[in-house]
Amino acid sequence: MTISDEELAEQQSSIGRIQAPSRLRVVAGRFFGSLQGRIGFALLGLIFLLAFAGPYIGRWTYTDQDFTAFLQPPSPAHWWGTLQTGADVYAVTLRGMQKSLIVGLLAAVIGTTLAAVVGAFAGYFTGWADRSLTWVTDLMLVLPAFLILAIMSPLFESGQWLLFVLVLAVFLWMVTSKIVRSMTISLKEREFIQAARFMGVPPVKIIFRHIIPNMSSLLVVDATLNVSAAILTETSLSYFGFGIQPPDVSLGSLIADGAKTAIYAPWTFWFCSGLLIVMVLAVNLVGDSLRDAFDPTAQRGRENR
């Protein structure tokens, strides 16, 4: 029985359409297949929905002040009560959540990007480039980040919170950079990297097209876990008055103000504190689930202990 060329081409095309699932689909299946992944994703989605859509259903904005309701408990007029200034707790808490989420996400992305670039260049190039970048990394590791951010806090006034994000990101990349460097040293000896070098591909293009994409799983997990680290750092700095500056607010500044009245007006403290705990918990659950999804052997290793 003979097969015509058209039938053979059709069979080959049908075989070509039957492909193994993509890595993204496999990772997504593992992520949503775990209970903590689903819980973390659901919590994070609810937090973003509350932070960015919640203000539109409230009666007050974070800058409004009700001079007839100072330090009032939750009521139909003020769902989560008011502060000593008459500000609506619901409105200012959601504003603080927005700022903490934005700061955490931006600082994590910038810090992970910096770690990938510095680590990849240090691992790919030998000699003075590697020594210089490694020296800078080691120097940044020993610098007192909290003290430097506190000294620079006057620069963050007048809405200069983006500068605060950049300075915060500068202190998040060093450990990951060392991991990326060691992985790059191993990767640059692989056949596809050697082939690209023999074909005359510039080193910078090799780094950005071949080396960094091959570490995407590490970088995605690192960026996710850095979000919670950046949120906690920003909250700690704002608590002591060194982070987000007035008239803007963050969860750290709200917790600092609420701690003064937490005993006799607990609504000024517990709403922002509880949401901070849920936010960090959700980000950590997502980060741990992503790590297990990219590397299922790590999860099996922990279960066997």
Side-chain angles (χ1 to χ4, degrees), residues 11-267:
Q11 290 180 4
Q12 290 176 345
S13 63
S14 63
I15 293 173
R17 288 193 295 269
I18 304 174
Q19 298 178 348
S22 64
R23 178 172 174 79
L24 179 60
R25 186 175 300 177
V26 171
V27 170
R30 292 173 183 164
F31 177 82
F32 289 105
S34 66
L35 179 60
Q36 73 171 14
R38 293 193 298 270
I39 293 175
F41 185 82
L43 283 176
L44 201 57
L46 289 174
I47 287 170
F48 270 93
L49 185 64
L50 177 63
F52 293 97
Y56 293 102
I57 63 175
R59 295 177 53 188
W60 306 85
T61 67
Y62 78 98
T63 57
D64 292 337
Q65 291 179 315
D66 187 356
F67 296 109
T68 63
F70 294 107
L71 211 62
Q72 293 297 307
S75 65
H78 298 279
W79 298 340
W80 292 358
T82 60
L83 301 176
Q84 288 178 318
T85 59
D88 185 72
V89 174
Y90 175 81
V92 296
T93 301
L94 298 193
R95 175 65 178 183
M97 287 177 62
Q98 289 179 9
K99 192 61 67 176
S100 295
L101 285 170
I102 293 173
V103 169
L105 287 171
L106 288 178
V109 170
I110 295 171
T112 301
T113 302
L114 187 61
V117 173
V118 173
F121 273 82
Y124 188 85
F125 296 102
T126 57
W128 67 268
D130 182 20
R131 289 193 296 271
S132 300
L133 292 173
T134 302
W135 180 82
V136 171
T137 304
D138 293 337
L139 176 64
M140 294 297 297
L141 278 171
V142 300
L143 289 178
F146 191 94
L147 179 61
I148 293 174
L149 285 164
I151 293 173
M152 296 183 64
S153 61
L155 300 177
F156 308 144
E157 297 178 355
S158 304
Q160 298 296 323
W161 63 272
L162 281 176
L163 177 61
F164 173 70
V165 171
L166 292 175
V167 177
L168 180 60
V170 166
F171 294 99
L172 289 176
W173 59 273
M174 291 80 72
V175 175
T176 306
S177 175
K178 286 183 170 293
I179 299 173
V180 171
R181 176 184 175 274
S182 62
M183 294 179 66
T184 302
I185 293 174
S186 176
L187 276 174
K188 72 178 183 179
E189 302 300 329
R190 300 282 294 273
E191 291 80 2
F192 65 97
I193 301 294
Q194 295 290 347
R197 294 170 64 181
F198 290 144
M199 292 173 63
V201 179
V204 175
K205 187 175 291 186
I206 291 176
I207 290 173
F208 284 103
R209 285 192 177 182
H210 300 289
I211 291 179
I212 292 180
N214 271 278
M215 293 181 285
S216 58
S217 58
L218 166 70
L219 299 176
V220 168
V221 174
D222 178 75
T224 305
L225 296 177
N226 272 344
V227 172
S228 60
I231 289 174
L232 288 175
T233 303
E234 180 274 324
T235 302
S236 302
L237 288 164
S238 298
Y239 180 88
F240 292 105
F242 301 133
I244 302 298
Q245 301 295 315
D248 214 337
V249 295
S250 74
L251 290 180
S253 60
L254 292 175
I255 291 173
D257 292 337
K260 304 171 185 175
T261 57
I263 296 177
Y264 55 88
W267 59 87

